[in-house]
């Protein structure tokens, strides 16, 4: 587990970290045949950003479509949810019917993190009934603890990188406006902000558009 923790911390990007978590879960937790991560942004936008197989995305989509399943319970309400056998489970009937058709019989889900309105879960799947036991839960909880730390660090680094990139873009866009219209930096920034508000587009995207095209959105080419 120490080796796994070091591997997760050494990944270069957020995407690589998410993929590494899923892969580590697949090869570490007893009973796991497939693994994936679910993230919820602003408690509404649910997605599967990492999966060891396309089957994971299909099973997750069944949960998202029906609004029920162990993953959603784990991410919103509980820390750990074990589903022993889809064929006898009655708590999530719409989901289990679809999961069985996809060939999945059991699941194990762990809540990874809760950060304001953003949530995350680690999900494990098997084609066998009763694939997960107490050892699976214990190992999975330990892995989830390491994964949550690695994921939080990767998210912070990703956000910092995005902020630096946005700042650089805005600086380039200001330079273009200053040179073109012979205005001050403050005035150029005001133009960008006003365009952003009018178009209802993020400031960084306005800057990127100007840098890429030489024009502000809605501005006729000359």
């Amino acid at each position: 587990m120490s080796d796994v923790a070091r591997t997760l911390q050494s990944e270069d990007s957020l995407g690589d970290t998410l993929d590494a978590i899923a892969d580590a879960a697949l090869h570490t937790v007893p009973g796991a045949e497939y693994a994936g991560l679910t993230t919820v942004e602003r408690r509404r936008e649910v997605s599967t950003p990492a999966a060891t197989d396309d089957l994971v995305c299909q099973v997750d989509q069944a949960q998202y479509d029906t609004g029920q399943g162990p993953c959603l319970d784990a991410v919103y309400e509980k820390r750990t949810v074990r589903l022993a056998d889809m064929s006898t489970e009655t708590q999530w009937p719409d989901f289990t019917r679809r999961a069985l058709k996809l060939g999945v019989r059991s699941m194990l889900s762990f809540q990874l993190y809760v950060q304001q309105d953003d949530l995350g879960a680690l999900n494990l799947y098997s084609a066998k009934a009763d694939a997960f036991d107490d050892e699976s839960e214990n190992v999975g909880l330990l892995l989830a603890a390491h994964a949550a730390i690695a994921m939080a660090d990767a998210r912070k680094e990703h956000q910092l990188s995005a902020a630096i990139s946005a700042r650089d873009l805005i600086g380039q866009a200001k330079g273009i406006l200053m040179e073109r219209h012979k205005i001050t930096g403050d005035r150029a920034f005001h133009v960008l902000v006003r365009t952003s508000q009018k178009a209802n587009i993020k400031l960084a995207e306005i800057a990127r558009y100007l840098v890429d095209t030489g024009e502000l959105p809605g501005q006729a080419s000359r």
Side-chain angles (χ1 to χ4, degrees):
M1 195 60 69
S2 296
D3 291 339
V4 169
R6 283 192 291 270
T7 298
L8 297 182
Q9 292 286 350
S10 67
E11 296 298 333
D12 294 330
S13 68
L14 177 59
D16 289 342
T17 299
L18 300 182
D19 288 339
I21 291 171
D23 187 67
L26 175 64
H27 293 95
T28 303
V29 180
E33 295 181 352
Y34 311 96
L37 297 176
T38 289
T39 58
V40 184
E41 296 184 3
R42 294 180 290 277
R43 291 188 177 267
R44 293 190 306 274
E45 300 172 16
V46 189
S47 64
T48 303
T52 60
D53 192 275
D54 185 58
L55 177 63
V56 170
C57 298
Q58 296 178 51
V59 176
D60 283 358
Q61 191 60 51
Q63 294 185 86
Y64 307 156
D65 290 345
T66 60
Q68 57 181 236
C71 165
L72 297 181
D73 276 17
V75 76
Y76 283 113
E77 301 174 12
K78 305 174 183 177
R79 298 198 64 82
T80 304
V81 179
R82 191 199 307 185
L83 195 166
D85 190 345
M86 299 279 183
S87 65
T88 59
E89 178 61 54
T90 59
Q91 186 173 354
W92 309 285
D94 295 335
F95 163 67
T96 52
R97 279 195 295 269
R98 290 181 56 169
L100 282 169
K101 289 180 180 180
L102 292 169
V104 171
R105 289 288 297 275
S106 55
M107 278 186 65
L108 182 59
S109 297
F110 304 90
Q111 187 183 77
L112 272 181
Y113 65 88
V114 178
Q115 297 176 344
Q116 296 180 340
D117 288 335
D118 294 337
L119 314 168
L122 169 65
N123 306 302
L124 309 174
Y125 315 77
S126 176
K128 304 180 182 67
D130 299 307
F132 304 106
D133 55 18
D134 291 343
E135 182 185 5
S136 303
E137 283 199 28
N138 292 334
V139 174
L141 282 169
L142 185 57
L143 174 64
H146 288 295
I149 294 171
M151 196 170 177
D153 289 345
R155 284 164 62 91
K156 288 179 182 177
E157 186 172 334
H158 176 75
Q159 291 166 356
L160 177 60
S161 177
I164 293 173
S165 177
R167 184 191 65 187
D168 290 345
L169 277 172
I170 292 171
Q172 293 177 53
K174 283 173 56 180
I176 292 172
L177 294 176
M178 291 168 66
E179 173 64 24
R180 180 177 299 171
H181 301 293
K182 308 304 179 186
I183 57 178
T184 65
D186 286 345
R187 180 60 182 167
F189 183 72
H190 177 73
V191 171
L192 292 172
V193 170
R194 186 176 60 189
T195 304
S196 171
Q197 294 172 339
K198 184 176 180 180
N200 195 27
I201 300 173
K202 291 182 178 179
L203 182 60
E205 293 305 314
I206 293 292
R208 184 185 299 279
Y209 187 89
L210 176 57
V211 170
D212 290 345
T213 68
E215 303 289 347
L216 289 169
Q219 186 180 62
S221 299
R222 294 179 182 180

